[in-house]
Coordinates of all heavy atoms in Angstrom, one line a residue:
L913 N -6.2 21.4 -5.4 CA -5.9 20.6 -4.2 C -5.2 21.3 -3.1 O -5.4 21.1 -1.8 CB -5.0 19.2 -4.7 CG -5.8 18.3 -5.4 CD1 -4.8 17.2 -6.0 CD2 -6.9 17.6 -4.7
S914 N -4.2 22.1 -3.5 CA -3.5 23.1 -2.6 C -4.4 24.0 -1.8 O -4.3 24.1 -0.6 CB -2.4 23.7 -3.3 OG -1.8 24.6 -2.4
E915 N -5.3 24.6 -2.7 CA -6.3 25.5 -2.1 C -7.3 24.8 -1.1 O -7.7 25.4 -0.1 CB -7.0 26.2 -3.1 CG -6.2 27.1 -4.1 CD -7.0 27.6 -5.3 OE1 -8.2 27.3 -5.3 OE2 -6.4 28.4 -6.1
S916 N -7.5 23.5 -1.4 CA -8.4 22.7 -0.6 C -7.7 22.1 0.6 O -8.6 21.6 1.5 CB -9.1 21.6 -1.4 OG -9.9 22.2 -2.5
G917 N -6.5 22.3 0.7 CA -5.8 21.8 1.8 C -5.7 20.2 1.8 O -5.4 19.5 2.9
A918 N -5.7 19.6 0.6 CA -5.6 18.2 0.5 C -4.2 17.6 0.9 O -3.2 18.4 0.5 CB -5.9 17.7 -0.9
V919 N -4.0 16.7 1.7 CA -2.8 16.0 2.0 C -2.6 14.7 1.5 O -1.6 14.2 1.7 CB -2.6 15.9 3.7 CG1 -2.7 17.3 4.3 CG2 -3.6 15.0 4.2
G920 N -3.5 14.0 0.8 CA -3.3 12.8 0.2 C -4.7 12.2 -0.4 O -5.6 13.0 -0.5
D921 N -4.6 10.9 -0.8 CA -5.8 10.3 -1.3 C -5.8 8.8 -1.2 O -4.7 8.2 -0.9 CB -6.0 10.7 -2.9 CG -5.1 9.8 -3.7 OD1 -3.8 10.1 -3.8 OD2 -5.4 8.8 -4.3
V922 N -7.0 8.3 -1.2 CA -7.3 6.9 -1.2 C -8.0 6.7 -2.5 O -9.1 7.1 -2.4 CB -7.9 6.3 0.0 CG1 -8.4 4.9 -0.2 CG2 -7.1 6.4 1.3
A923 N -7.4 5.8 -3.4 CA -8.1 5.5 -4.7 C -8.7 6.6 -5.3 O -9.8 6.6 -5.8 CB -9.3 4.4 -4.4
T924 N -8.0 7.8 -5.3 CA -8.3 9.1 -6.1 C -9.5 9.8 -5.3 O -10.0 10.6 -6.1 CB -8.6 8.9 -7.6 OG1 -9.7 8.1 -7.8 CG2 -7.4 8.2 -8.3
V925 N -9.6 9.5 -4.1 CA -10.5 10.3 -3.4 C -9.6 11.1 -2.4 O -9.0 10.5 -1.5 CB -11.6 9.5 -2.6 CG1 -12.4 10.4 -1.6 CG2 -12.5 8.7 -3.5
F926 N -9.6 12.4 -2.5 CA -8.6 13.2 -1.8 C -9.3 13.7 -0.4 O -10.4 13.8 -0.2 CB -8.3 14.4 -2.5 CG -7.5 14.1 -3.9 CD1 -8.2 14.0 -5.0 CD2 -6.1 14.0 -3.9 CE1 -7.6 13.7 -6.2 CE2 -5.5 13.7 -5.0 CZ -6.2 13.4 -6.2
F927 N -8.3 13.9 0.6 CA -8.8 14.2 1.9 C -7.7 15.2 2.6 O -6.6 15.3 2.2 CB -9.0 12.9 2.8 CG -7.7 12.1 2.9 CD1 -6.6 12.4 3.9 CD2 -7.5 11.0 2.2 CE1 -5.5 11.6 3.9 CE2 -6.3 10.2 2.1 CZ -5.4 10.5 3.0
R928 N -8.2 15.8 3.7 CA -7.4 16.8 4.3 C -6.9 16.1 5.5 O -7.1 15.0 5.8 CB -8.3 18.0 4.7 CG -9.0 18.8 3.5 CD -9.9 19.9 4.1 NE -10.6 20.6 3.0 CZ -11.8 20.2 2.6 NH1 -12.4 19.2 3.3 NH2 -12.3 20.9 1.7
A929 N -6.1 16.9 6.2 CA -5.4 16.5 7.4 C -6.3 16.0 8.6 O -6.0 15.1 9.3 CB -4.4 17.7 8.0
D930 N -7.5 16.6 8.5 CA -8.5 16.2 9.5 C -9.3 15.0 9.0 O -10.3 14.6 9.7 CB -9.5 17.4 9.9 CG -10.2 17.9 8.8 OD1 -10.1 17.4 7.6 OD2 -11.1 18.9 9.0
G931 N -9.0 14.5 7.9 CA -9.8 13.3 7.3 C -11.0 13.7 6.5 O -11.7 13.0 5.9
S932 N -11.3 15.1 6.3 CA -12.5 15.3 5.7 C -12.3 15.5 4.1 O -11.2 15.6 3.7 CB -13.0 16.8 6.1 OG -12.0 17.9 5.8
T933 N -13.4 15.2 3.3 CA -13.3 15.3 1.9 C -14.3 16.2 1.3 O -14.2 16.6 0.1 CB -13.8 13.8 1.4 OG1 -15.1 13.6 1.7 CG2 -12.7 12.8 1.9
D934 N -15.2 16.8 2.1 CA -16.2 17.7 1.5 C -15.6 19.0 1.0 O -14.6 19.5 1.6 CB -17.2 18.1 2.6 CG -18.1 16.9 3.0 OD1 -18.0 15.9 2.4 OD2 -18.7 17.0 4.2
G935 N -16.1 19.4 -0.2 CA -15.7 20.8 -0.8 C -14.4 20.7 -1.5 O -13.7 21.6 -1.9
I936 N -13.9 19.4 -1.8 CA -12.6 19.3 -2.6 C -13.2 19.0 -3.9 O -13.7 17.9 -4.3 CB -11.7 18.1 -2.1 CG1 -11.2 18.4 -0.7 CG2 -10.5 17.9 -2.9 CD1 -10.3 17.3 -0.1
P937 N -13.0 20.1 -4.8 CA -13.7 20.0 -6.1 C -13.3 18.7 -7.0 O -14.3 18.1 -7.7 CB -13.2 21.2 -6.9 CG -12.9 22.2 -5.7 CD -12.3 21.3 -4.7
L938 N -12.1 18.2 -6.8 CA -11.6 17.1 -7.7 C -12.3 15.9 -7.3 O -12.5 15.0 -8.1 CB -10.2 16.9 -7.4 CG -9.4 16.1 -8.7 CD1 -9.8 16.9 -10.0 CD2 -7.9 16.1 -8.4
N939 N -12.9 15.8 -6.1 CA -13.7 14.5 -5.8 C -14.9 14.4 -6.4 O -15.5 13.3 -6.5 CB -13.9 14.5 -4.3 CG -12.6 14.2 -3.5 OD1 -11.6 13.7 -3.9 ND2 -12.6 14.6 -2.1
L940 N -15.4 15.5 -7.0 CA -16.7 15.4 -7.8 C -16.4 14.7 -9.1 O -17.5 14.2 -9.7 CB -17.3 16.8 -8.0 CG -17.8 17.6 -6.8 CD1 -18.1 19.0 -7.1 CD2 -18.9 16.9 -6.0
R941 N -15.2 14.8 -9.5 CA -14.8 14.1 -10.8 C -14.3 12.8 -10.7 O -14.0 12.1 -11.7 CB -13.9 15.0 -11.8 CG -14.7 16.4 -12.0 CD -13.8 17.1 -12.9 NE -12.7 17.7 -12.6 CZ -11.4 17.5 -12.9 NH1 -11.3 16.5 -13.7 NH2 -10.4 18.1 -12.5
G942 N -13.7 12.5 -9.4 CA -12.9 11.3 -9.2 C -13.8 10.0 -9.2 O -15.1 10.1 -8.9
T943 N -13.3 8.8 -9.3 CA -14.0 7.6 -9.5 C -13.8 6.7 -8.3 O -14.4 5.5 -8.5 CB -13.6 6.8 -10.9 OG1 -12.2 6.7 -10.9 CG2 -14.1 7.7 -12.0
G944 N -13.2 7.0 -7.3 CA -12.8 6.1 -6.2 C -14.2 6.0 -5.3 O -15.1 6.9 -5.4
P945 N -14.1 5.1 -4.5 CA -15.4 4.9 -3.6 C -15.5 6.0 -2.5 O -14.4 6.3 -2.0 CB -15.1 3.5 -2.9 CG -13.7 3.4 -3.0 CD -13.2 4.0 -4.3
D946 N -16.7 6.5 -2.2 CA -16.9 7.4 -1.2 C -16.4 6.7 0.1 O -16.6 5.5 0.3 CB -18.4 7.8 -1.1 CG -18.5 8.9 -0.1 OD1 -18.9 8.5 1.1 OD2 -18.6 10.0 -0.4
F947 N -15.9 7.7 1.0 CA -15.5 7.1 2.3 C -16.5 6.4 3.2 O -16.1 5.4 3.9 CB -14.8 8.1 3.1 CG -13.3 8.5 2.6 CD1 -12.5 9.6 3.1 CD2 -12.8 7.9 1.5 CE1 -11.3 9.9 2.7 CE2 -11.5 8.2 0.9 CZ -10.8 9.3 1.6
T948 N -17.6 6.7 2.9 CA -18.8 6.0 3.7 C -18.9 4.5 3.2 O -19.2 3.7 4.0 CB -20.1 6.7 3.4 OG1 -20.4 6.7 2.0 CG2 -20.2 8.0 4.1
V949 N -18.6 4.3 2.0 CA -18.5 2.9 1.4 C -17.2 2.2 2.0 O -17.3 1.0 2.5 CB -18.3 2.9 0.0 CG1 -18.1 1.5 -0.7 CG2 -19.5 3.5 -0.8
L950 N -16.0 2.8 2.1 CA -15.0 2.2 2.7 C -15.2 1.9 4.1 O -14.9 0.7 4.7 CB -13.7 3.1 2.5 CG -12.9 3.1 1.2 CD1 -11.7 4.0 1.3 CD2 -12.7 1.6 0.9
R951 N -15.7 2.8 4.9 CA -15.9 2.6 6.3 C -16.9 1.3 6.6 O -16.9 0.8 7.7 CB -16.5 3.8 6.9 CG -15.5 5.1 7.0 CD -16.1 6.1 7.7 NE -15.3 7.3 7.6 CZ -15.7 8.3 6.8 NH1 -16.9 8.5 6.2 NH2 -14.8 9.4 6.8
R952 N -17.7 1.0 5.8 CA -18.7 -0.1 5.8 C -17.9 -1.4 5.5 O -18.6 -2.4 5.9 CB -19.9 0.1 4.9 CG -20.9 1.2 5.5 CD -22.2 0.9 4.8 NE -22.2 1.0 3.4 CZ -22.5 2.1 2.7 NH1 -22.8 3.2 3.2 NH2 -22.5 2.2 1.2
T953 N -16.8 -1.4 5.0 CA -16.0 -2.6 4.7 C -15.5 -3.2 6.0 O -14.8 -2.4 6.6 CB -14.9 -2.4 3.7 OG1 -15.5 -1.8 2.5 CG2 -14.2 -3.6 3.2
P954 N -15.7 -4.4 6.4 CA -15.2 -4.9 7.6 C -13.7 -4.9 7.9 O -13.3 -4.5 9.1 CB -15.7 -6.4 7.7 CG -16.9 -6.4 6.7 CD -16.6 -5.3 5.6
R955 N -12.9 -5.1 6.8 CA -11.4 -5.1 7.0 C -10.9 -4.2 6.0 O -11.1 -4.3 4.8 CB -10.9 -6.5 6.9 CG -9.4 -6.5 7.3 CD -8.9 -7.8 7.4 NE -9.3 -8.7 8.3 CZ -8.9 -8.8 9.7 NH1 -8.0 -8.0 10.1 NH2 -9.5 -9.6 10.5
R956 N -10.3 -3.1 6.5 CA -9.6 -2.1 5.6 C -8.1 -2.1 5.8 O -7.6 -1.5 6.7 CB -10.3 -0.8 5.8 CG -11.9 -0.9 5.9 CD -12.5 0.5 6.0 NE -12.4 1.0 7.4 CZ -13.1 0.6 8.4 NH1 -14.0 -0.3 8.4 NH2 -12.9 1.2 9.6
I957 N -7.4 -2.6 4.8 CA -5.9 -2.8 4.9 C -5.2 -1.6 4.3 O -5.3 -1.6 3.1 CB -5.5 -4.1 4.5 CG1 -6.3 -5.2 5.1 CG2 -4.0 -4.3 4.7 CD1 -6.0 -6.8 4.5
C958 N -4.6 -0.8 5.0 CA -3.8 0.2 4.5 C -2.3 -0.1 4.6 O -1.8 -0.7 5.5 CB -4.0 1.5 5.3 SG -2.9 2.8 4.8
V959 N -1.6 0.2 3.5 CA -0.2 -0.2 3.3 C 0.6 1.2 3.1 O 0.3 1.8 2.3 CB 0.1 -1.2 2.2 CG1 1.6 -1.6 2.1 CG2 -0.8 -2.4 2.3
I960 N 1.6 1.4 3.9 CA 2.4 2.6 3.7 C 3.8 2.4 4.1 O 4.2 1.6 4.9 CB 1.7 3.8 4.7 CG1 2.4 5.1 4.5 CG2 1.8 3.3 6.1 CD1 1.7 6.2 5.2
A961 N 4.7 3.1 3.4 CA 6.1 3.0 3.7 C 6.7 4.4 3.4 O 6.5 5.1 2.3 CB 6.8 2.0 2.8
G962 N 7.5 4.9 4.3 CA 8.2 6.1 4.2 C 7.5 7.3 5.0 O 6.4 7.5 4.8
T963 N 8.3 8.1 5.8 CA 7.9 9.2 6.5 C 7.2 10.3 5.6 O 6.6 11.1 6.2 CB 8.9 9.7 7.5 OG1 10.1 10.1 6.7 CG2 9.3 8.6 8.6
S964 N 7.5 10.3 4.4 CA 7.0 11.5 3.6 C 5.5 11.3 3.3 O 4.9 12.1 3.0 CB 7.6 11.4 2.1 OG 7.6 10.1 1.6

Side-chain angles (χ1 to χ4, degrees):
L913 290 173
S914 180
E915 291 172 5
S916 301
V919 297
D921 75 281
V922 171
T924 61
V925 176
F926 297 90
F927 56 87
R928 302 181 184 86
D930 62 1
S932 63
T933 60
D934 294 343
I936 299 179
L938 201 55
N939 286 342
L940 297 176
R941 300 193 284 114
T943 54
D946 187 271
F947 284 178
T948 56
V949 173
L950 277 182
R951 292 187 193 107
R952 286 199 297 265
T953 304
R955 190 175 294 276
R956 307 181 296 277
I957 304 171
C958 175
V959 184
I960 183 172
T963 55
S964 56

